[in-house]
Amino acid sequence: MPGSISFQEKYLLLIDEIVQAVLKGKISSESQVHRILIGDMTIGTGEIFERALSIRMSYFQQQLDMEINELKQAKASRSLKAINIIQGQWEKIQEQNKATEVIAAAVREITIAESDERLVRLLSAIDPNSKYPLNILQLQQLSESLSKFAQRDSELQQIVDGITCATKTWGKLQEYLLTWIYEHQDNLGFGVIPGEKDPWALWAKKVDKSPLKILLQALAMGKSMVEFLNNYDVDDISLDEWLEVTLVLQSVQRGLVSWFDKQPYNIEAGSKLSISTFLTFAVIWSQLANGFGLDSKYGTWSSSIMLQILRTFAQRPYFPMYGGIFASFSGVYLHSALNYLDEPLKFVQGTQEKARILTLLGYSQRTLGKYKNSISFHKEALEIAINAGDHSCEIANFNHLSRTCVAEGNYTDAINYSQRALIISRQTGEKIGEANALANFGYSKVMQAKELKELGTETYETAISYLKQGLKLSELLGDVQSKALCLSSLGVAYQVVKLYSDAATSLEAAFRVAQISGDLYLQGLNLGNLAETNYSLKNINRAIYTGSLGMYLLHQIDAYKWQETAILLGAIQAEIGEKNFRESLEEERPRIIAIIGIDGYEYIPCLIAKYHTEEY
């Protein structure tokens, strides 16, 4: 058509007009740029606009690079800033358009799907691992679109009602999402003492009576979700109520992780809390899946949510290859709960994410004393990691296998696995894996020498030198989890060769570092070993203090090692008499309460009695 211009020419003129308006101060906000672009863009011409934007960006960049005159340089610089504003607003428009497309596609899929497939379609729309997952506000737009089809469809109406209720409930909870953190900055997280410094009870008060409220109350009381479902008539839970539970818990978990991930004042603390959040919510959903039954509608739904969380977690740079039980967000409802993650994972195909999740499970199984399960998980993870070329995961599983073999008393395999981890870590430059491999190799050598009664000076000095190398490397890397393991291994090695003062120094340092990393298992293990060391040093009061704390923490996560510490404390009590034992415990009362609370302190004598009156 005579006189007409192409879309590219049109957009070049539009960009120039916006740039000039910004330079002259006629446009003073990004929202104005946003409105202009929406008003002047033609549907289906996005690629042409991007090409025009690229042309203008190159033009102004070239001016900035080649111009000698300072005034013209300054103008080119301001023009480039204006171009960046346009680009930023264009990206926002693209995101909005993509969300609109995703919502429309989800509406289409949900409305045409069979009844038993609708939840699957909805679950896919909120999957954080998808390219464009819908947040709760976008889900409200989805429900508004679905409501047009719901008048004669009761199931669709329940989906609409569930999303609407979830949006309202999240609106009430959102302002209280982080208040508990500000109130307890001395001890961020969910603690191991139910009801103290945790938000479950606070959130439950803000929720109207519903299954969600009862669920939050159960968590506040330290109950597992299996126990919650046993005391609740699950047949009474409607689809809309269950959607409210799902979407609100999902929003809480994502909101917390997002906030923790953005804590520049303490990146390590933020990562620890993010890790704990992922683990906590994965376990909640896993327990719900087991409580409902994996073959039921809600059981399948819960299992899928759990896997979504774990897959997202496995892709994070702070995924814990060498730890798993974290104090800050655990709560007593995590008591042996990582066991529940086993069954749902059997339905997942071999992926890199699965290998990492299996690594976590193998570690957890070792804490429970289930060595065959632990080895099985690590071997499966190892095979997947090798096929996926995931060297970090491969090395981690060799290291874990070494540690588990030591626990089994299989020192030959333990040494072989740690050697393989050491070789591969040095070949690939995986320094954290190397630090752990050095610790495991030295630890395996010490334990083998103890078994063979070959603890000559040369034997143990060589083994301990590897442990010291691992410690030095972990300190250089600033990796607290590896440092805690190296210090712990070094302390045990000193115990074996009866250098008790050195053992106490290493184990005390290991406990402090494990507190920083948040690994409850290592904390309890170090305290238990400290109790043995203090007993050997004839420091009875200190043995009672460290042993009581270690026993309690290990029992909280169902780690079988609590029994060994209970045996030691029982022996001390028999040796000095119950009256003297209680007096010693009373002297340590303030320090014990500071860590595990008054309920924990009062439970210590019960635990000792429990071991000696029950069969294990």
Side-chain angles (χ1 to χ4, degrees), residues 30-57:
E30 293 182 359
S31 61
Q32 287 177 282
V33 175
H34 193 93
R35 286 195 295 272
I36 292 169
L37 292 178
I38 290 176
D40 288 3
M41 291 293 297
T42 302
I43 295 173
T45 60
E47 289 185 12
I48 300 174
F49 179 81
E50 288 176 0
R51 190 157 55 246
L53 194 61
S54 177
I55 290 170
R56 280 296 177 255
M57 186 172 285

Side-chain angles (χ1 to χ4, degrees), residues 148-167:
K148 300 171 185 176
F149 303 90
Q151 295 176 356
R152 297 181 181 178
D153 191 322
S154 60
E155 187 177 65
L156 274 182
Q157 188 60 55
Q158 285 192 72
I159 291 175
V160 169
D161 292 342
I163 295 172
T164 302
C165 287
T167 306

